[in-house]
């Protein structure tokens, strides 16, 4: 039973042996450390870069445009902010070259709070990442999704950012549904196979299990829990928090439907719209700061496109708009959403009066059918048009 960081490592091994990954690199990514969270231990193509995030992104772009398939790591997303102009270039290359140049690179980086990392190890990147057109953005909430999303990112012909909640790195699968097909069920057995020994590592070689080539489609959300009173849309570390909040509220006869978005771009609008149109109430939860938050974009679409179905104004539960996240545990808890604040936000949404009572306007009906493929939006349409040129 893999942890999330072991799942990422297993996916990268599959990537370099079956999907053509040529370079896995970043600060301390290669031997002897194998990554600050050990996500790259034992990988054949892993190497260390200088401490220069712009150099890492620039090298990845160059390798990708020269026909290689790199996976680059920014050690903490807090240090990705000085690479924004290069990320723009990577994202717009397909468009600006009229479809002539793909940039098949993966950029992975740990995000979010929960480890008391304070100013430079607790930021979120959701909002900034989704403002850079041309990138696909994914964020897993469990080991199996981390494995499948990483494989999809590697296979994609254009840049994909894999945002990994750092507080979930050591978290194991919650049950068989979150296990990777082919991995040993005993976590100690898996650890002996792929975790580097502490201390002397010279001559150590991992023993990789034969895991399945299982992809999680980019753009496909997962309904974690069915409910009828309110829709909660979230991703990453907040999925587990929202699950616990739903359990608390079930004792108050509040039935929560929980959607794990998994992909921030392209995102699964049909899944969100179908659920919100049915429950009439929506709460969007994430760790990023509340001003110009990605959840605000989703609220805007709900208001513009689902107005006649909404029983109450949607609510955003997000991080405080502060320069940093508090170091001490009470300060960190006061900065970002937690079980108490998420539970209160959902309860507040459900207890608002039904604005449709007395409204004679007919409710707009929605009928979305999930086909198993990623939804087609403007971004997908333009990318597919170029891909087949």
């Amino acid at each position: 039973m893999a942890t999330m960081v072991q799942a990422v490592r297993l996916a990268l091994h599959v990537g370099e042996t079956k999907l053509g990954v040529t370079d896995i690199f970043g600060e301390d990514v290669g031997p002897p450390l194998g990554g600050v969270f050990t996500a790259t231990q034992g990988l054949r193509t892993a190497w260390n870069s200088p401490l220069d995030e712009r150099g890492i992104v620039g090298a990845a772009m160059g390798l990708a445009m020269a026909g290689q398939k790199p996976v680059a790591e920014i050690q903490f997303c807090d240090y990705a902010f000085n690479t924004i102009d290069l990320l723009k270039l990577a994202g717009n290359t397909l468009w600006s070259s009229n479809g002539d140049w793909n940039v098949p690179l993966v950029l992975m980086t740990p995000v979010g709070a929960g480890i008391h990392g304070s100013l430079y190890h607790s930021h979120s990147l959701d909002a900034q990442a989704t403002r850079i057109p041309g990138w696909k953005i994914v964020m897993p909430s469990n080991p199996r999704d981390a494995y499948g999303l990483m494989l999809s990112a590697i296979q994609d012909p254009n840049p994909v950012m894999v945002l990994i909640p750092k507080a979930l790195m050591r978290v194991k699968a919650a049950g068989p549904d979150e296990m990777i097909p082919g991995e040993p069920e005993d976590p100690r057995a898996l650890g002996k196979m792929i975790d580097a020994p502490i201390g002397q590592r010279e001559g150590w070689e991992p023993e990789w299990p034969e895991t399945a080539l299982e992809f999680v489609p980019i753009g496909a959300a997962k309904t974690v829990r069915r409910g009828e009173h309110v829709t909660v849309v979230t991703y990453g570390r907040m999925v587990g928090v929202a699950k616990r909040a739903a359990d608390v509220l079930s004792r108050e006869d509040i039935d929560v439907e929980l959607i794990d978005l998994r992909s921030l771009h392209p995102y699964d609008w049909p899944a969100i719209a179908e659920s919100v149109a049915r429950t009439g109430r929506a709460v969007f939860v994430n760790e990023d700061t509340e001003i110009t938050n990605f959840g605000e974009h989703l609220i805007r679409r709900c208001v513009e496109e689902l107005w006649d179905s909404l029983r109450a104004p949607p609510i955003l539960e997000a991080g405080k708009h502060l320069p940093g996240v508090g170091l001490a545990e009470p300060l960190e808890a006061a900065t970002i959403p937690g079980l108490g604040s998420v539970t209160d936000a959902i309860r507040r949404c459900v207890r608002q009066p039904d604005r449709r009572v007395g409204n004679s306007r007919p409710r707009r009906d929605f009928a979305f059918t999930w086909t198993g493929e990623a939804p087609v939006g403007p971004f997908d349409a333009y990318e597919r048009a170029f891909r087949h040129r």
Side-chain angles (χ1 to χ4, degrees):
M1 182 176 288
T3 61
M4 185 174 286
V5 74
Q6 289 173 323
V8 170
R9 200 187 314 157
L10 288 166
L12 292 174
H13 167 69
V14 172
E16 65 181 6
T17 55
K18 297 181 179 177
L19 299 177
V21 168
T22 56
D23 299 82
I24 300 170
F25 67 101
E27 298 161 6
D28 293 323
V29 162
L33 189 59
V36 69
F37 288 99
T38 70
T40 51
Q41 281 184 348
L43 296 171
R44 178 173 50 80
T45 61
W47 51 273
N48 294 315
S49 73
L51 304 183
D52 177 7
E53 287 77 20
R54 289 176 54 83
I56 292 170
V57 175
M61 291 171 60
L63 286 165
M65 286 191 276
Q68 306 299 296
K69 189 178 276 289
V71 177
E73 182 188 75
I74 302 296
Q75 199 170 69
F76 290 90
C77 81
D78 313 60
Y79 302 102
F81 288 83
N82 69 353
T83 71
I84 294 292
D85 55 340
L86 288 171
L87 298 179
K88 278 179 60 183
L89 287 173
N92 71 25
T93 297
L94 180 68
W95 181 84
S96 60
S97 67
N98 198 27
D100 285 342
W101 289 89
N102 292 98
V103 186
L105 74 84
V106 176
L107 186 70
M108 65 177 188
T109 186
V111 298
I115 65 167
H116 319 308
S118 193
L119 275 176
Y120 279 96
H121 299 85
S122 295
H123 273 110
S124 294
L125 196 65
D126 322 2
Q128 276 80 4
T130 52
R131 288 192 197 105
I132 307 174
W135 282 81
K136 297 183 180 70
I137 316 293
V138 301
M139 190 189 300
S141 67
N142 62 72
R144 188 170 185 171
D145 282 353
Y147 177 85
L149 288 169
M150 179 61 80
L151 292 184
S152 294
I154 290 169
Q155 194 182 47
D156 200 279
N158 285 300
V160 182
M161 209 177 294
V162 181
L163 307 180
I164 308 170
K166 64 176 73 76
L168 299 184
M169 288 286 194
R170 310 295 180 204
V171 175
K172 296 184 177 67
D177 290 346
E178 295 183 0
M179 288 183 60
I180 301 163
E183 67 162 314
E185 189 172 343
D186 182 352
R188 290 171 299 181
L190 179 64
K192 287 181 180 177
M193 294 171 72
I194 68 170
D195 290 347
I198 296 174
Q200 177 58 254
R201 297 178 178 180
E202 189 174 350
W204 170 77
E205 292 287 343
E207 180 188 349
W208 299 104
E210 191 64 36
T211 51
L213 202 59
E214 180 183 79
F215 297 88
V216 172
I218 295 176
K222 179 181 180 181
T223 300
V224 176
R225 176 189 179 114
R226 292 284 179 186
E228 59 176 324
H229 295 149
V230 59
T231 300
V232 175
V233 180
T234 187
Y235 44 85
R237 187 168 74 90
M238 287 295 116
V239 172
V241 175
K243 270 186 192 174
R244 297 200 298 278
D247 290 340
V248 170
L249 292 167
S250 68
R251 297 194 284 274
E252 302 174 20
D253 293 327
I254 295 175
D255 195 11
V256 176
E257 178 145 316
L258 175 58
I259 294 177
D260 179 358
L261 211 49
R262 302 197 293 192
S263 294
L264 280 62
H265 199 277
Y267 58 86
D268 196 344
W269 176 247
I272 299 171
E274 187 280 328
S275 178
V276 174
R278 180 162 36 79
T279 65
R281 300 175 190 270
V283 178
F284 297 88
V285 180
N286 65 66
E287 292 185 59
D288 210 344
T289 49
E290 60 187 326
I291 295 180
T292 62
N293 183 285
F294 177 61
E296 288 184 333
H297 163 70
L298 299 177
I299 287 178
R300 191 264 293 168
R301 286 199 71 176
C302 283
V303 171
E304 288 186 355
E305 302 179 34
L306 306 173
W307 178 252
D308 290 341
S309 299
L310 290 176
R311 298 175 185 271
I315 287 179
L316 172 69
E317 176 60 22
K320 302 291 188 298
H321 190 65
L322 296 170
V325 175
L327 175 64
E329 187 170 355
L331 295 177
E332 184 182 77
T335 309
I336 55 174
L339 177 59
S341 67
V342 172
T343 305
D344 287 345
I346 300 171
R347 186 186 290 120
R348 193 166 71 250
C349 184
V350 172
R351 289 181 176 173
Q352 291 184 94
D354 188 341
R355 55 168 288 275
R356 298 187 322 187
V357 173
N359 186 348
S360 60
R361 295 180 65 186
R363 180 181 178 181
R364 185 178 172 186
D365 292 325
F366 287 83
F368 292 103
T369 302
W370 179 246
T371 62
E373 296 182 354
V376 177
F379 175 81
D380 306 85
Y382 113 81
E383 187 188 56
R384 290 178 188 181
F386 280 133
R387 190 183 299 175
H388 297 295
R389 289 174 67 92

